[in-house]
């Protein structure tokens, strides 16, 4: 289910799209020690939802995910990864979809393709939210960042999708760190620790954290950050150059 | 795509199933220091394929995966997890499907649902292969274990599916170990190291391995194994009781 679905409301049979399949994207942004998620608000309904979309007949599923990410943020070259297929029959719930369509003055028939059962492939992405340009489309009021602690009620099973994406992010943090686009090109160990603490939602011990990070072998020390007081200047680091498996490079 | 598809060959429109969606299962078995995979051989075609199937309209996607696992092995209560959605348009290749259907004397029309584009949800499972009862269905010659080093050529993109499942297994070994059903209830550190070495396909240093395993906090030492020579008797271990997130318990 997605923001795109009303654009398809006149396409009663879903011609041109893979039947019964959607993607939903949990786009995390990290900034100022906060982890946020990009949400759309539907006009005249009070509904909030994840960005998402459908897959064209002649499009790869991963391509559709990149297209959605680009449409909603203007970003390409971003870490974007499948994390789970939401395929329970219980997620089939036509009520909110009918409400959204009716709020636009459209009265769908019961066999409208958007009212059928959909399986959704969940993707998560990580971006520096100063670089994203959140972009609503013609049928949403807004596309905006919401702190994880202050999410509005989300339609259908989108809250579960966010929670599962967060668990995946937390579990994969060490493993996928280098592919994440959450930090500037260079950063201090303190910046990195702050990001970890925010994502894991707990305090970490500085010495142990530094030891662990250095043992991962993915950091390169580049210079001391000039702070005026030389004896306290922290080192700057950057990630060693390499392309991790899961970064989807081509837009 | 799957073993089941010929059973559906008379169902030209795919009535009763989710359209365009399949599951494929990479079922790993570990025994005698070997990692094997369960494959089906189709009659009169020379084609080998992963066990798989389709999803009923009124069935969860995960439920369909458990049904396939049970049908091909007789096993329930097994670690079974989604690992990737294979959704590239390039995997749409009707030739082998037509061959299999023709080998059974069935000549499908071009708009037969089985000849359309399918997206497949990949699952992997881990079993003690002494406990599985590989079960072909009426249209396959055999359902058997094949060593990873000696896999036959697989149809469509099934070799890629196996490779990706193996990468996932290797990457998740520490994290998911407790949920795996690859060892007997109790085992020595040597048994565990042998399993690791087989799955990772490399030798590990004994002392470092033991230190790492104990640091994971998931092992419980239960007794010394009696070997006759008391001073060399290795300890037996078992996994601490807990239900990991991803074990799908209900058959």
């Amino acid at each position: 289910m997605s923001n795109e679905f009303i654009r398809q409301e006149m396409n009663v049979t879903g011609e041109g799209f893979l039947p019964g399949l959607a993607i939903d994207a949990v786009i995390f942004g990290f900034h100022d020690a906060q982890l946020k998620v990009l949400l759309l608000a539907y006009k005249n309904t009070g509904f909030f939802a994840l960005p998402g979309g459908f897959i064209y007949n002649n499009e790869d599923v991963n391509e559709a995910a990149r297209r959605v990410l680009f449409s909603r943020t203007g970003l390409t070259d971003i870490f974007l990864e499948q994390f789970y297929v939401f395929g329970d029959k219980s997620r089939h719930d036509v009520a909110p979809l009918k409400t959204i369509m009716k709020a636009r003055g459209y009265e769908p028939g019961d066999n409208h393709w958007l009212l059928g059962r959909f399986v959704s492939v969940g993707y998560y992405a990580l971006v520096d939210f100063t670089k994203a340009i959140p972009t609503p489309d013609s049928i949403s009021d807004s596309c905006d960042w919401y702190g994880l602690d202050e999410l509005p009620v989300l339609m259908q099973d989108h809250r579960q999708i966010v929670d599962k994406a967060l668990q995946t992010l937390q579990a994969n943090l060490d493993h996928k760190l280098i592919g994440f686009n959450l930090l500037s090109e260079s950063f201090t160990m303190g910046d990195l620790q702050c990001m970890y603490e925010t994502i894991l939602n707990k305090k970490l011990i500085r010495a142990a954290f530094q030891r662990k990070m250095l043992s991962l072998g993915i950091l390169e020390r580049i210079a001391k950050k000039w702070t005026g007081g030389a004896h306290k200047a922290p080192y700057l680091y950057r990630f060693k150059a390499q392309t991790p498996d899961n970064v989807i490079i081509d837009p």
Side-chain angles (χ1 to χ4, degrees), chain A:
Chain A
M1 287 312 112
S2 82
N3 186 43
E4 249 181 29
F5 79 85
I6 289 181
R7 247 189 274 155
Q8 314 309 335
E9 74 193 2
M10 304 311 286
N11 178 356
V12 174
T13 61
E15 183 68 28
F17 293 97
L18 294 189
L21 199 64
I23 65 147
D24 282 301
V26 182
I27 303 171
F28 290 109
F30 174 75
H31 192 64
D32 276 350
Q34 275 198 296
L35 195 59
K36 303 200 169 192
V37 173
L38 201 62
L39 297 178
L40 294 163
Y42 288 117
K43 285 181 179 168
N44 307 320
T45 63
F47 289 153
F48 290 85
L50 292 168
F54 303 108
I55 302 114
Y56 291 112
N57 278 341
N58 62 352
E59 186 181 40
D60 295 344
V61 176
N62 288 340
E63 229 178 315
R66 291 193 292 266
R67 176 171 52 78
V68 167
L69 179 65
F70 178 73
S71 306
R72 298 283 74 77
T73 64
L75 295 173
T76 58
D77 293 8
I78 290 295
F79 177 96
L80 176 68
E81 192 171 72
Q82 300 175 4
F83 68 95
Y84 199 70
V85 175
F86 297 87
D88 283 3
K89 59 181 187 287
S90 62
R91 66 190 306 274
H92 187 198
D93 174 13
V94 301
L97 307 185
K98 280 187 173 169
T99 303
I100 292 173
M101 290 162 102
K102 282 177 185 167
R104 305 218 328 129
Y106 183 80
E107 196 77 45
D110 279 344
N111 58 357
H112 194 289
W113 78 299
L114 293 175
L115 302 181
R117 175 178 167 191
F118 275 81
V119 169
S120 184
V121 183
Y123 283 80
Y124 76 113
L126 293 128
V127 306
D128 177 341
F129 84 36
T130 60
K131 290 182 182 157
I133 303 162
T135 309
D137 63 16
S138 59
I139 57 100
S140 43
D141 284 319
S142 67
C143 179
D144 265 317
W145 294 106
Y146 291 80
L148 273 179
D149 299 336
E150 49 187 22
L151 292 188
V153 174
L154 302 183
M155 62 181 272
Q156 296 181 310
D157 58 352
H158 287 198
R159 178 67 206 224
Q160 277 170 263
I161 296 177
V162 170
D163 290 344
K164 184 117 187 154
L166 181 62
Q167 285 165 22
T168 307
L169 171 58
Q170 290 169 338
N172 288 340
L173 202 45
D174 293 348
H175 188 54
K176 300 282 174 66
L177 184 60
I178 199 169
F180 292 169
N181 307 82
L182 290 175
L183 291 171
S184 324
E185 204 188 326
S186 64
F187 44 84
T188 66
M189 194 59 76
D191 294 334
L192 192 60
Q193 182 169 344
C194 170
M195 187 188 83
Y196 261 75
E197 290 180 339
T198 304
I199 292 174
L200 300 178
N201 196 25
K202 65 178 179 190
K203 288 281 162 202
L204 301 169
I205 296 162
R206 192 173 151 206
F209 177 78
Q210 174 156 350
R211 201 160 49 235
K212 181 181 132 177
M213 282 300 111
L214 295 177
S215 78
L216 293 177
I218 58 175
L219 295 179
E220 190 174 5
R221 203 168 77 182
I222 47 176
K224 283 210 177 193
K225 189 172 178 179
W226 187 80
T227 57
H231 65 293
K232 283 220 153 194
Y235 283 105
L236 281 176
Y237 294 86
R238 69 178 166 212
F239 292 120
K240 287 182 186 170
Q242 75 177 67
T243 305
D245 286 351
N246 295 299
V247 180
I248 297 176
I249 296 286
D250 299 315

